[in-house]
Amino acid sequence: MKITEVLRQDRLLLSFEVFPPKTDTAFASVKNATEEMARLRPSFMSVTYGAGGGTSRYTLDIARNIKERYGVPTLAHLTCVSSSKETVHARIREIIDAGIENVMALRGDLTPELEASDRSKWDYRHAAELVRELKESGADLCIGGACYPEIHPESPNQKEDIRYLKEKVEAGCEFLTTQMFFDNNLLYNFLYKIREAGVTVPVIPGVMPITNANQVARAVKLSGSFMPVRFKSLVDKFGSSPAAMMQAGIAYATDQIIDLYANGIKNVHVYSMNKPEVAAAIRRNLSDIVG
Ligand code: FAD
């Protein structure tokens, strides 16, 4: 099922994100974790694409397994900036052959090596170019893209970020998933601004349950997310106790999700990070809310 069709359902939905293993030896345990999550009947599951494409085979193996064994729609991520056109075309072919109907078209992060290389030799500079190629491939794929309620870290300002986001949508993105955020007001402000700018496709907010203190620094580095005082004091108080931090982080994410639903959002995407126990706890907390 295509994500656009999933989003047309008239009920509140929850989806999960997983990431592929880096090695063959880790494959079985990651596959088990993703299957446990699939059994929670999410509206869809997204499978990320390792930077540089080293784990691309696993992305598709996991996406296909979840779809075929559990009937859960899957969204395969694909990045382009560190790849040649030839590689990207081969990946698109593999996605089609695997029967995956949804692709998240991403640029990918700029590694220091890429930053230092000659940009004129890059085959891709922005995700919109990948979106256009996916469209031109003629494949019947539903294409998603990323967006940033707190601005993409490389953007000089939000106006410019939204201008390029609009270009990406016009190139063929049918829905957008947001970077994580810890203050819902940032999302509501962002939605207002993009709608005003004429970006009308569905936006799926991404919520990351922070379940250990080390994750906080990583999350901030990755996304540049603003940490509300309420969230910081929770980490200060419970960060040194793993069980307490896990419970508090899940409660914070649940609270965020309920507020999003209460304010008209239909599908929230949980950055569940291959942790079925976290996905299950959130699902349990929303048992009478999520359809
Ligand atoms: P783009 O849309 O290309 O935007 C990147 C920057 O370029 C922005 O600042 C934008 O404003 C600017 N820009 C866009 N077009 C132009 C233009 N024409 N001229 C000048 N500037 C322009 N990374 C992975 O490696 N694997 C994953 O699976 C993965 N999944 C992700 C899922 C989500 C929901 C999100 C939010 C991020 C994900 N990422 C993933 C990280 C992502 O690759 C990085 O955030 C990356 O830095 C930007 O990717 P993008 O697709 O948003 O890029």
Side-chain angles (χ1 to χ4, degrees):
M1 191 190 275
K2 296 204 170 130
I3 303 295
T4 40
E5 215 178 307
V6 169
L7 298 177
R8 272 200 289 273
Q9 296 177 48
D10 196 18
R11 58 199 175 101
L12 299 181
L13 305 165
L14 197 64
S15 50
F16 298 136
E17 179 152 305
V18 295
F19 57 87
K22 288 199 169 68
T23 59
D24 278 343
T25 32
F27 185 78
S29 71
V30 171
K31 185 166 165 254
N32 285 342
T34 61
E35 290 190 357
E36 267 189 66
M37 288 192 210
R39 284 195 283 270
L40 298 168
R41 293 185 297 104
S43 57
F44 70 89
M45 283 173 71
S46 67
V47 190
T48 66
Y49 190 82
T55 59
S56 64
R57 183 165 57 84
Y58 299 131
T59 297
L60 288 188
D61 287 349
I62 287 179
R64 182 165 41 190
N65 180 57
I66 296 164
K67 180 174 180 267
E68 287 178 359
R69 281 196 74 177
Y70 296 91
V72 173
T74 49
L75 167 63
H77 291 202
L78 178 63
T79 68
C80 59
V81 74
S82 56
S83 303
S84 64
K85 288 222 172 217
E86 210 178 20
T87 305
V88 167
H89 292 163
R91 296 288 167 268
I92 297 175
R93 190 70 257 156
E94 285 163 10
I95 289 170
I96 298 165
D97 291 346
I100 307 294
E101 294 171 281
N102 305 289
V103 183
M104 177 62 105
L106 298 146
R107 185 197 70 179
D109 275 323
L110 301 182
T111 58
E113 297 79 58
L114 264 173
E115 291 263 33
S117 67
D118 177 0
R119 286 183 188 228
S120 67
K121 299 214 166 84
W122 296 2
D123 280 356
Y124 300 90
R125 285 177 190 75
H126 304 291
E129 295 162 38
L130 176 59
V131 174
R132 276 186 208 106
E133 274 189 8
L134 283 159
K135 275 286 180 204
E136 282 160 16
S137 75
D140 186 18
L141 292 166
C142 173
I143 305 167
C147 63
Y148 303 83
E150 295 176 73
I151 311 179
H152 184 269
E154 289 162 36
S155 286
N157 57 59
Q158 194 167 42
K159 205 168 171 191
E160 195 166 310
D161 207 26
I162 292 177
R163 180 158 66 87
Y164 290 127
L165 180 66
K166 191 168 183 221
E167 267 184 33
K168 185 159 67 175
V169 169
E170 284 167 353
C173 269
E174 292 162 79
F175 69 94
L176 298 165
T177 305
T178 75
Q179 181 59 281
M180 69 184 90
F181 54 89
F182 298 96
D183 176 349
N184 288 358
N185 286 326
L186 293 165
L187 177 88
Y188 303 138
N189 292 345
F190 174 71
L191 286 177
Y192 180 81
K193 286 179 184 163
I194 63 167
R195 298 312 186 208
E196 205 177 31
V199 176
T200 56
V201 293
V203 174
I204 304 176
V207 167
M208 174 171 283
I210 297 287
T211 53
N212 70 67
N214 298 335
Q215 244 180 303
V216 178
R218 275 205 306 277
V220 173
K221 184 163 175 258
L222 188 79
S223 63
S225 301
F226 164 69
M227 296 279 160
V229 174
R230 198 166 80 84
F231 184 77
K232 277 193 202 147
S233 42
L234 178 153
V235 179
D236 283 349
K237 178 77 180 168
F238 303 116
S240 54
S241 162
M245 187 60 226
M246 170 107 139
Q247 198 166 42
I250 288 169
Y252 190 93
T254 304
D255 198 34
Q256 260 194 292
I257 297 169
I258 292 173
D259 180 72
L260 290 166
Y261 287 146
N263 281 285
I265 300 293
K266 269 179 57 185
N267 192 116
V268 178
H269 194 55
V270 179
Y271 291 118
S272 38
M273 309 287 286
N274 297 5
K275 290 183 186 151
E277 68 285 7
V278 172
I282 290 187
R283 185 71 185 76
R284 238 183 349 261
N285 287 348
L286 301 168
S287 58
D288 289 330
I289 293 177
V290 165

